[in-house]
Amino acid sequence: MEGKEEDVRVGANKFPERQPIGTSAQTDKDYKEPPPAPFFEPGELSSWSFYRAGIAEFIATFLFLYITVLTVMGVKRAPNMCASVGIQGIAWAFGGMIFALVYCTAGISGGHINPAVTFGLFLARKLSLTRAVFYIVMQCLGAICGAGVVKGFQPNPYQTLGGGANTVAHGYTKGSGLGAEIIGTFVLVYTVFSATDAKRSARDSHVPILAPLPIGFAVFLVHLATIPITGTGINPARSLGAAIIYNKDHAWDDHWIFWVGPFIGAALAALYHQLVIRAIPFKSRS
Amino acid sequence: MSKEVSEEGKTHHGKDYVDPPPAPLLDMGELKSWSFYRALIAEFIATLLFLYVTVATVIGHKKQTGPCDGVGLLGIAWAFGGMIFVLVYCTAGISGGHINPAVTFGLFLARKVSLVRALGYMIAQCLGAICGVGFVKAFMKTPYNTLGGGANTVADGYSKGTALGAEIIGTFVLVYTVFSATDPKRSARDSHIPVLAPLPIGFAVFMVHLATIPITGTGINPARSFGAAVIYNNEKAWDDQWIFWVGPFLGALAAAAYHQYILRASAIKALGSFRSNATN
């Protein structure tokens, strides 16, 4: 246990002793771009805050899957859609839960709850490879446990009603499913980047003003748009958890779409934000 | 973009805010600045994402096979309003987060953007809208073509005049909310801490959609109507297209006039008389 509490907020104050990159270009600004996180940081492994962050991601993803998949099962079990919360209710479950959980977890682990978000932030050098891999593993384990609890509540309906697993719906091609996942994840990860932008924090007078709200809304909106296409993955852990517990051929046949799509979308969002919006690589040379 | 205001010799009359000076009509210097093109790219991407999510939601809803199978009209309204909230939030610091030619037009009339920038934004928004709807068509081609393509048309039972009126008032609500959310006087009252200005803008869009989806499918955004009309390319969509440009632009004009001349009384202030008190 360290002598002082380490601030594990993504990128924030992690390296106070280091000169920020491009510091001469930032002398007139009241914000500092945090330096890129090191690729490997073995020191993290001996810090409790590292494991606390992983546990937080596990619990958050567990609760996320529990609430959302249980909502999906409730809709599927209803005699008709009008007797349930409906597709819109499912979208609210996903978006609202992300809002609540990101709010709770942001100060502990950065509130990713999504391997695609972790991957995007890793590409933007906001966390180390060690931490990124650990988060993704914990998110996947949490998702499996969350879906497992839902199955535990209702084993037979779970298996007969699709288990909340993501598959490409009838009438859509795999290419459409992949495209929808790419754009959907782009919306989410781009919103995450905007919400956590150092420049925005400065413009907001460094007062945090519900950054999780637009992130939750982004998830809700993408679900409204793509539930008819794929049931909306945009979160590989969510798709993996449901697929493992459901364990049917057609869920696994399409499963690659829910990793390739989100990771491509996250990469595009990272590129767009870092290169176009913030132009960080060009600034560091000036 | 922000203009630096020299405050030497300038008396504040007790105000702790400064109204930004009017944007020049033609500011060719903007064309040499990367931030101008970054703003255009941001408007393009934001409008693309806006149209993709919203029109995909519309088509997904219309594709339903039984009652309550889709997200419902309420879900469609949320898609529009929520997406404006998210995108204005993401884009506000880069381009001002217009995502709507009517908003750009209103801000241009209020001298908050130059003509060059206003035209650039509108073109980027229309191109982004076309691409966004193009994605929806690519992903769900058959339902897109058979279910109306998410295009705005005047519904049966309503006249073109009614639709025009609905578009005017709807856009007035939106642009008036934009002006209120970005008012420097409000910023001063909020101690200069922005408190989620995008949220009331998104809610304004959401509520206008609740009211006017049955009438026109709700345009209040010429780029949105234009993008869907181009990709759907149906005669009825084009017949009614003029309503979705004239209405929003008139609504934006009315909102700009109301906010600038009545609420902020800029014309009267210029005369230096008719003040309720010297520090007003």
Side-chain angles (χ1 to χ4, degrees), chain B residues 110-175:
Chain B
R111 306 293 304 277
K112 296 185 190 296
V113 293
S114 69
L115 180 61
V116 172
R117 185 172 284 256
L119 289 179
Y121 277 17
M122 289 184 190
I123 292 170
Q125 288 153 1
C126 290
L127 292 177
I130 294 171
C131 293
V133 184
F135 273 120
V136 177
K137 181 166 181 175
F139 293 163
M140 35 177 85
K141 191 178 183 91
T142 300
Y144 180 85
N145 288 327
T146 59
L147 297 172
N152 288 124
T153 57
V154 182
D156 296 338
Y158 295 98
S159 68
K160 289 193 194 319
T162 300
L164 183 66
E167 290 295 310
I168 292 174
I169 299 181
T171 311
F172 180 93
V173 171
L174 166 58
V175 179

Side-chain angles (χ1 to χ4, degrees), chain B residues 21-209:
Chain B
L25 189 64
L26 290 171
D27 187 3
M28 307 309 291
E30 283 183 315
L31 296 176
K32 304 192 188 79
S33 167
W34 161 247
S35 69
F36 176 71
Y37 297 103
R38 181 182 62 197
L40 294 184
I41 293 171
E43 287 292 316
F44 173 89
I45 295 288
T47 314
L48 186 157
L49 297 178
F50 174 61
L51 264 289
Y52 165 75
V53 170
T54 53
V55 175
T57 303
V58 170
I59 302 300
H61 166 70
K62 291 196 170 182
K63 198 166 177 280
Q64 64 180 9
T65 54
C68 309
D69 278 8
V71 298
L73 294 184
L74 182 62
I76 292 174
W78 271 119
F80 280 92
M83 208 58 191
I84 287 291
F85 163 56
V86 168
L87 292 170
V88 171
Y89 179 87
C90 295
T91 316
I94 299 160
S95 66
H98 298 184
I99 313 172
N100 185 333
V103 170
T104 303
F105 182 66
L107 291 171
F108 166 70
L109 292 179
R111 306 293 304 277
K112 296 185 190 296
V113 293
S114 69
L115 180 61
V116 172
R117 185 172 284 256
L119 289 179
Y121 277 17
M122 289 184 190
I123 292 170
Q125 288 153 1
C126 290
L127 292 177
I130 294 171
C131 293
V133 184
F135 273 120
V136 177
K137 181 166 181 175
F139 293 163
M140 35 177 85
K141 191 178 183 91
T142 300
Y144 180 85
N145 288 327
T146 59
L147 297 172
N152 288 124
T153 57
V154 182
D156 296 338
Y158 295 98
S159 68
K160 289 193 194 319
T162 300
L164 183 66
E167 290 295 310
I168 292 174
I169 299 181
T171 311
F172 180 93
V173 171
L174 166 58
V175 179
Y176 170 49
T177 306
V178 169
F179 275 114
S180 295
T182 58
D183 190 324
K185 193 171 186 178
R186 159 181 291 278
S187 177
R189 196 172 60 239
D190 292 343
S191 305
H192 300 287
I193 296 176
V195 186
L196 270 187
L199 192 56
I201 297 171
F203 263 93
V205 172
F206 168 62
M207 285 178 286
V208 173
H209 276 74

Side-chain angles (χ1 to χ4, degrees), chain A residues 81-82 87-88 92 172 176 179-180 183 186 191 194-195 200 203-204 209 214 217 221 224-226 229 272 276-277, chain B residues 34 38 42 45 49 52-53 57 63 68-69 71 74-75 78-79 82-83 85-86 89-90 93-94 139-140 192 194:
Chain A
M81 287 290 249
C82 299
I87 301 293
Q88 194 190 142
W92 275 119
Y172 296 97
S176 295
I183 300 184
F186 179 94
T191 306
S194 294
R200 159 180 289 279
R203 196 175 61 242
D204 290 347
I209 306 175
F217 255 97
L221 294 162
L224 287 181
T226 59
I229 305 178
Y272 175 61
V276 176
I277 301 297
Chain B
W34 161 247
R38 181 182 62 197
I45 295 288
L49 297 178
Y52 165 75
V53 170
T57 303
K63 198 166 177 280
C68 309
D69 278 8
V71 298
L74 182 62
W78 271 119
M83 208 58 191
F85 163 56
V86 168
Y89 179 87
C90 295
I94 299 160
F139 293 163
M140 35 177 85
H192 300 287

